[in-house]
Amino acid sequence: MNNSPQRYTITAALPYTNGPIHIGHLAGVYVPADIYARFLRMQGNDVAFVCGSDEHGVAIPMKAKKEGVTPQQIIDKYHAIIKRSFEDFGVSFDNYSRTSNKIHHKTASEFFIKLYEEGKFIEETTEQLYDAEANQFLADRFVTGTCPKCGNEEAYGDQCENCGTSLNATDLINPKSAITGAKPTMKETKHWFLPLDQYEDWLKEWILVGHKKDWKTNVYGQVKSWIDDGLRARAVTRDLDWGIPVPLKDAEGKVLYVWFDAPIGYISSTIEWAEKEGKNWEDYWKEKDTKLVHFIGKDNIVFHCIIFPIMLKAEGSYILPENVPANEFLNLEGKKLSTSKNWAVWLHEYLQDFPGQQDVLRYVLTANAPETKDNDFTWKDFQARNNNELVAVFGNFINRVLVLTDKYYAGEVPTPGEYSEVDKNTLATLRAYPAVIASSIEKYRFREAQGELMNLARLGNKYLADEEPWKMIKTDEERVKTVMYVALQISSALARLSEPFLPFTSAKLRKFLNMEQEATSLPGNQANSWNEVSTNETLLPAGHHIGKAELLFSKIEDEQIEKQLEKLEVTKAANQAENKKVEPQKETASFEDFTKMDLRAGTIVEATKMPKANKLLVLKVDTGLDIRTIVSGIAESFTPEEIIGKKVTVLINLAPRKLRGVESQGMILMTESANGKLVFLNPDTDNVDNGAVIS
Ligand SMILES: [Zn+2]
């Protein structure tokens, strides 16, 4: 364990360049990593916060093929979008690289060569799935089939997304080529394998014993079950033409497996940064007094807790991660986020609808962070947290302080008189907050940490509400000076301590309070401004001039939320339409079979709910021959009132059946719309008499 690190290397999962970034990515990985990095910088630490786009792997050429463009065009497009989203949301990477950069190809190749030369790989010729039609081996995502573990029929050749199991393509039951749909054949090919099983004892010691107490239980549990299941050798190369070529003579047409090259991307990104900054990158990866922390989502646990550490261990000169605080998943309105189903809130779209409100999203995502279990993002909760917490607590307090300081003292911080007990307690509580919030952040409990930050805003709000300077100004002007001075100290503390969580708000508040000259949490700063909140006698000295009051947060209206919900409804309907399976054709019916059915035009003349039945309506239908009772299972799609007078098609010679004691004498013909609502089949003109024969 590394208790007094000299520097920190913080990595955030490399986003895959086959789509933009959504709220799940932000909540699970990038906001917590950013809070951590900004907090560490504000504590005066040396930090390298690195990331980059993951641009290899089979999904890229597959997507390119689908869109009729080159793989390079795909990665260029999404790299730009992703990088922009991170900048827009204030994710303060020291360096954001890409795995297609030369430096990365070089770093990954050298890493491979070193393991190869030291005999760490097993070279093996095996039979792999091969698509003879496409003339191509079917690695990873080029093949789908049934997961041997959970039975999911759409598992990929490298992983089942349903149960998270990491797979070899040959493990799949009923494999199918994703290129041609053909059933693959087997063909011999040579690959290099990393024998994970040889590191099992070491992993047990390092994680299961060494990190039992400090790793999150969800991470520890998953790692333990992997190790308990037994580890196997994993190929680190692939038959593919997109990626980093295997740097050996007899390896034509082969590239490094994307999961071998991607985590090395953290190292390459650090090298790229160190070269720009004139630093020694090896300090950040090879010195024992460096603390390495990987921020990832739970789908990446096996790669960051087992495979990458084994790679680092096998190489021999690297340090290992001290923690991998992986998060669970964030759902959207109760459903799993999905890029392919467009069930997501995309960051670039959010900004179009809520310009300048990045911090609101950061706040809500942290407040709902899936730290220990899957969690849900809902638009109603988003609105409530903004209006009831950011606006009503944080914003309200700051606004009162700014407005009153401007009104009473023309924006100058007043000189306090003698402190009352309440003042002393309030200031003492204030000074305790940096340590309280820090303690939660150091345990990777970011929602708890942000909750404490809000408690500081609540402290300020309560202090003003209790002291009521706006009333006291008429009776005791001297006392008001002290109250406002204390309130201004709280405001200044909020400006600093909010920065890791709400960097845009913090910057605004610094501007309002005219404290912009102070160090920030951005890369390159190491000012220990965090602890100064505790140690400094005063945060905003008497006589200091503050700026003009502006609103820190604004209310989010119902219409804005409705608009977002409607957007999701449209997506839902589109997905349902797409997923709808068209029923196969039934057995042939003879003309005689058809003419046996007596179909007539009719009109619904009465409709009532069937007591104690959710789906059934009891209808009286005018068939032209009679008015008869028909029980119909349409109550979930229609109210009785809206269907009275409706022209319908009725099968009148269906043998009568009793439904809940009511005899039904026929059937109304219905179909279903794309979003699952029932629809009447009716003559498309009103000019058809009841009883008209349909043939
Ligand atoms: Zn599975």
Side-chain angles (χ1 to χ4, degrees):
M1 278 277 276
N2 190 342
N3 286 320
S4 54
Q6 289 305 300
R7 64 194 77 70
Y8 289 80
T9 303
I10 315 292
T11 74
L14 305 185
Y16 201 52
T17 40
N18 66 341
I21 296 279
H22 60 56
I23 55 169
H25 302 124
L26 210 54
V29 179
Y30 304 104
V31 166
D34 187 55
I35 292 171
Y36 192 64
R38 284 176 179 268
F39 160 75
L40 288 174
R41 292 190 197 109
M42 285 181 80
Q43 282 214 319
N45 293 298
D46 181 0
V47 173
F49 179 25
V50 295
C51 189
S53 296
D54 177 2
E55 306 187 325
H56 297 138
V58 291
I60 306 288
M62 278 183 82
K63 188 163 179 104
K65 206 172 222 172
K66 210 168 138 193
E67 294 188 8
V69 297
T70 65
Q72 188 67 39
Q73 282 171 305
I74 293 287
I75 62 173
D76 287 348
K77 174 179 163 187
Y78 289 113
H79 170 74
I81 294 175
I82 292 168
K83 187 164 188 278
R84 177 74 198 273
S85 283
F86 286 140
E87 286 162 5
D88 283 344
F89 280 82
V91 180
S92 63
F93 296 126
D94 286 87
N95 196 52
Y96 189 79
S97 187
R98 40 194 314 197
T99 59
S100 59
N101 282 355
K102 227 184 215 160
I103 182 70
H104 176 65
H105 278 238
K106 179 168 177 277
T107 310
S109 301
E110 285 172 0
F111 200 108
F112 178 91
I113 285 291
K114 177 151 187 218
L115 296 194
Y116 174 81
E117 284 174 350
E118 292 187 355
K120 306 284 183 177
F121 295 132
I122 297 169
E123 202 173 298
E124 221 179 313
T125 299
T126 56
E127 293 207 307
Q128 292 293 324
L129 300 177
Y130 186 78
D131 183 335
E133 267 179 61
N135 200 13
Q136 194 175 329
F137 281 100
L138 297 174
D140 308 323
R141 309 226 142 193
F142 272 124
V143 55
T144 59
T146 303
C147 169
K149 203 163 176 191
C150 76
N152 167 28
E153 288 176 11
E154 280 160 33
Y156 292 110
D158 58 344
Q159 192 176 24
C160 169
E161 292 196 329
N162 188 49
C163 67
T165 303
S166 129
L167 299 168
N168 286 316
T170 46
D171 295 340
L172 293 172
I173 302 162
N174 296 327
K176 208 170 73 180
S177 165
I179 310 166
T180 61
K183 190 175 170 355
T185 55
M186 300 300 278
K187 191 174 169 177
E188 277 196 345
T189 178
K190 183 165 77 179
H191 283 290
W192 289 268
F193 291 74
L194 187 60
L196 304 185
D197 47 315
Q198 290 178 13
Y199 298 83
E200 229 174 85
D201 290 340
W202 167 74
L203 269 184
K204 278 181 189 161
E205 187 63 30
W206 174 53
I207 301 179
L208 299 187
V209 178
H211 286 296
K212 197 177 170 79
K213 294 222 171 72
D214 59 329
W215 282 21
K216 291 170 67 171
T217 50
N218 57 323
V219 178
Y220 184 89
Q222 222 193 88
V223 172
K224 184 168 187 309
S225 94
W226 276 98
I227 297 176
D228 288 350
D229 272 1
L231 301 175
R232 293 182 296 163
R234 295 265 319 214
V236 300
T237 53
R238 287 289 188 267
D239 293 291
L240 200 71
D241 58 3
W242 181 252
I244 299 173
V246 174
L248 299 174
K249 267 190 245 127
D250 54 345
E252 206 154 305
K254 297 179 199 296
V255 297
L256 299 182
Y257 177 31
V258 66
W259 263 107
F260 184 83
D261 102 59
I264 297 173
Y266 300 138
I267 302 169
S268 328
S269 187
T270 311
I271 296 174
E272 196 175 75
W273 166 76
E275 277 175 5
K276 279 188 283 195
E277 299 290 320
K279 301 199 181 227
N280 177 9
W281 73 268
E282 287 183 305
D283 290 348
Y284 294 83
W285 280 95
K286 299 189 172 181
E287 287 297 330
K288 295 256 177 298
D289 53 6
T290 295
K291 182 166 173 172
L292 172 63
V293 181
H294 296 310
F295 283 85
I296 55 166
K298 71 170 163 188
D299 50 336
N300 277 337
I301 290 176
V302 62
F303 297 107
H304 285 80
C305 298
I306 294 182
I307 299 178
F308 188 44
I310 288 177
M311 286 163 58
L312 295 173
K313 175 79 180 164
E315 202 276 352
S317 67
Y318 284 86
I319 53 169
L320 296 166
E322 294 222 5
N323 213 317
V324 185
N327 276 329
E328 300 289 294
F329 286 148
L330 184 75
N331 294 322
L332 170 59
E333 301 284 350
K335 278 209 220 137
K336 199 178 165 190
L337 280 155
S338 164
T339 298
S340 56
K341 294 192 179 115
N342 193 28
W343 190 254
V345 177
W346 304 104
L347 298 191
H348 59 289
E349 290 186 10
Y350 170 89
L351 269 191
Q352 286 163 8
D353 295 341
F354 299 94
Q357 290 180 281
Q358 291 95 322
D359 276 353
V360 180
L361 190 60
R362 284 180 66 122
Y363 178 78
V364 174
L365 293 179
T366 301
N368 281 325
E371 290 179 354
T372 51
K373 60 176 176 55
D374 287 357
N375 228 334
D376 202 22
F377 176 92
T378 71
W379 281 109
K380 293 267 185 228
D381 175 70
F382 169 84
Q383 181 189 27
R385 286 194 187 273
N386 178 72
N387 294 356
N388 306 339
E389 296 173 23
L390 292 178
V391 174
V393 178
F394 197 141
N396 181 52
F397 169 65
I398 295 298
N399 192 50
R400 278 176 161 177
V401 173
L402 295 174
V403 167
L404 295 181
T405 305
D406 187 52
K407 190 170 161 193
Y408 300 157
Y409 314 113
E412 187 179 309
V413 178
T415 306
E418 192 134 331
Y419 290 140
S420 71
E421 277 310 302
V422 173
D423 300 340
K424 282 183 204 160
N425 286 339
T426 303
L427 288 170
T429 309
L430 163 66
R431 292 204 172 96
Y433 267 101
V436 169
I437 298 173
S439 146
S440 295
I441 292 180
E442 281 157 2
K443 293 186 200 109
Y444 309 102
R445 294 182 191 157
F446 300 102
R447 50 194 293 187
E448 184 181 275
Q450 185 177 264
E452 291 296 347
L453 173 75
M454 286 305 285
N455 284 339
L456 175 57
R458 284 189 187 94
L459 175 79
N461 233 4
K462 182 171 183 325
Y463 178 75
L464 278 192
D466 290 348
E467 298 299 318
E468 298 185 301
W470 46 87
K471 280 192 188 160
M472 207 190 299
I473 193 74
K474 293 169 200 132
T475 56
D476 190 350
E477 281 191 32
E478 281 309 300
R479 173 67 193 143
V480 173
K481 285 183 185 166
T482 309
V483 170
M484 289 313 298
Y485 176 84
V486 171
L488 280 157
Q489 306 310 305
I490 300 174
S491 308
S492 171
L494 278 172
R496 294 182 190 218
L497 302 183
S498 66
E499 191 172 335
F501 307 91
L502 309 169
F504 299 93
T505 304
S506 164
K508 261 200 219 169
L509 189 48
R510 281 167 186 274
K511 187 167 159 255
F512 298 166
L513 295 172
N514 189 18
M515 36 190 292
E516 287 161 289
Q517 65 284 2
E518 283 185 19
T520 70
S521 64
L522 288 173
N525 285 315
Q526 269 181 258
N528 209 348
S529 52
W530 185 270
N531 293 337
E532 280 172 13
V533 172
S534 298
T535 55
N536 278 13
E537 189 59 34
T538 144
L539 299 174
L540 276 187
H544 173 85
H545 278 270
I546 66 168
K548 274 279 169 206
E550 281 173 58
L551 281 184
L552 209 49
F553 300 102
S554 52
K555 219 178 147 206
I556 290 172
E557 304 296 340
D558 290 347
E559 299 82 75
Q560 290 174 277
I561 296 305
E562 287 308 320
K563 199 181 140 195
Q564 297 303 322
L565 290 173
E566 275 165 28
K567 220 176 183 176
L568 288 177
E569 280 305 318
V570 170
T571 302
K572 213 189 267 177
N575 284 339
Q576 273 166 342
E578 201 164 300
N579 291 341
K580 207 91 208 171
K581 286 214 171 78
V582 177
E583 298 267 341
Q585 183 175 315
K586 292 182 188 166
E587 237 177 275
T588 309
S590 66
F591 183 68
E592 285 71 33
D593 289 338
F594 175 70
T595 53
K596 273 188 197 162
M597 291 194 284
D598 194 344
L599 294 162
R600 305 289 180 110
T603 301
I604 297 172
V605 292
E606 264 183 62
T608 51
K609 284 206 142 174
M610 173 79 88
K612 292 181 197 148
N614 292 333
K615 291 187 176 171
L616 300 179
L617 292 184
V618 181
L619 312 174
K620 296 271 191 228
V621 180
D622 182 347
T623 64
L625 306 169
D626 51 21
I627 291 179
R628 60 174 75 187
T629 302
I630 294 178
V631 180
S632 187
I634 58 174
E636 284 175 338
S637 295
F638 302 98
T639 62
E641 301 76 48
E642 67 182 308
I643 59 169
I644 293 172
K646 193 108 198 144
K647 208 74 168 168
V648 293
T649 303
V650 199
L651 175 61
I652 59 169
N653 64 338
L654 183 68
R657 311 183 280 166
K658 274 206 169 172
L659 290 162
R660 304 259 172 153
V662 179
E663 190 174 83
S664 179
Q665 300 160 319
M667 189 163 91
I668 312 268
L669 301 194
M670 313 288 299
T671 184
E672 207 177 289
S673 70
N675 58 11
K677 193 176 161 18
L678 292 174
V679 175
F680 288 102
L681 283 183
N682 48 3
D684 71 351
T685 161
D686 287 337
N687 197 18
V688 175
D689 288 333
N690 291 337
V693 173
I694 295 166
S695 58

